[in-house]
Amino acid sequence: MSGAVYDKSQLTDYNFVRSHFYTVTSITDLTDSILRPAEFIEKNLAISKDNSKPQILIFHTHSQEGFTDTVEGDVSTTIIGVGDYLTELLVNKYGYNVIHDTSVYDYIDGKLDRSKAYTYAEENVTKILKENPSIEVVIDLHRDGVPDTTRLVTEENGVTMSKVMFFNGISYSKAKGDIGYLYNANRDDNLAMSLQMYLLGEAYYPGLLRNIYINAYRYCLHMKGRSMLIEAGAQTNTSTEVKNAMIPVADMLDRLLRGEKAYTQ
């Protein structure tokens, strides 16, 4: 571990964890009843690896997201290509059975339309999960949108790669409280997964991760406990930089699913 490894006493302190690891939008609030780090760092998120059946699903609510070098008509240079590479790593290097759903949810009748993308994605992902009940991990892979002058890059072993951000929707509005119609029974596990992954990233890949981003709504995180929305780079990165970032992401995910914890007692 070449990065920061936090002491358990720090990680059970709500104020420390919230102030150091999270960015919270103004319309929601990561209260101490929602974020319970002492509980979340201890959650067992390990799975029993069995590559005879699908255990991980990767999809893209926003499949049309591209990069500085994206070539029209060439999905290998878009977020889908990044998903292909993450799938390849998880299958060939780590031995998981992965389904990569490349369905389009944000391009309707020849036009970019993200107004119902999460609804369309939820419908199809629900179907995939029903057809493949062995799936235990669901990843919605995106890239972020940032000002054109912002470059989210870091370096690992001489390789330039994009920075990565984990994203949680917590179904909670600062103005109205819990958003009942967006209820997420898996919110605790979602938050535990992103926090544990963040700690692994801080320990093994310092500089790779941005703060965990918290927003009010649910997105498609409610269908499985081990669900993540990952923002890999942004529109100002090259697709190669973002693909390079999938190498540490795959390693961190494997460590998490093997039950590794990154903190000291």
Side-chain angles (χ1 to χ4, degrees), residues 43-49 136-137 196 226 254-261:
K43 269 188 178 288
N44 179 14
L45 298 172
I47 66 174
S48 298
K49 190 183 295 186
E136 299 181 77
V137 181
Q196 289 187 27
R226 297 177 187 85
D254 178 60
R255 290 178 185 276
L256 177 96
L257 297 179
R258 288 190 283 110
E260 181 174 341
K261 300 287 195 294

Side-chain angles (χ1 to χ4, degrees), residues 66-126:
F67 306 99
T68 59
D69 59 347
T70 293
V71 177
E72 186 173 356
D74 181 1
V75 296
S76 71
T77 61
T78 70
I79 195 64
I80 290 178
V82 179
D84 281 336
Y85 187 50
L86 178 58
T87 299
E88 178 187 327
L89 289 166
L90 291 171
V91 170
N92 296 333
K93 185 172 183 179
Y94 297 102
Y96 293 98
N97 188 322
V98 182
I99 293 177
H100 183 202
D101 171 31
T102 60
S103 303
V104 175
Y105 302 116
D106 59 344
Y107 197 71
I108 310 301
D109 297 327
K111 295 181 180 180
L112 184 67
D113 181 1
R114 292 181 174 154
S115 62
K116 295 184 178 179
Y118 284 98
T119 299
Y120 295 143
E122 180 180 344
E123 291 171 357
N124 199 50
V125 169
T126 299

Side-chain angles (χ1 to χ4, degrees), residues 122-164:
E122 180 180 344
E123 291 171 357
N124 199 50
V125 169
T126 299
K127 180 182 176 184
I128 293 171
L129 294 177
K130 185 175 181 180
E131 293 172 349
N132 299 275
S134 57
I135 292 174
E136 299 181 77
V137 181
V138 178
I139 296 172
D140 186 5
L141 185 60
H142 292 246
R143 64 103 171 114
D144 203 0
V146 298
D148 288 340
T149 54
T150 299
R151 286 268 292 146
L152 301 172
V153 291
T154 187
E155 189 173 290
E156 177 70 26
N157 294 326
V159 177
T160 301
M161 59 186 66
S162 71
K163 294 195 174 191
V164 173

Side-chain angles (χ1 to χ4, degrees), residues 171-225:
S171 302
Y172 181 85
S173 160
K174 185 182 288 185
K176 297 183 179 180
D178 291 326
I179 305 174
Y181 71 93
L182 295 177
Y183 177 68
N184 179 1
N186 291 309
R187 182 176 68 185
D188 287 356
D189 283 349
N190 295 165
L191 287 165
M193 185 174 186
S194 60
L195 178 57
Q196 289 187 27
M197 280 275 283
Y198 183 89
L199 295 174
L200 286 164
E202 287 286 275
Y204 286 99
Y205 302 101
L208 175 71
L209 297 179
R210 303 159 67 195
N211 278 6
I212 302 168
Y213 195 84
I214 301 293
N215 210 342
Y217 307 110
R218 183 174 67 181
Y219 305 92
C220 285
L221 294 165
H222 61 294
M223 291 178 277
K224 287 286 179 180

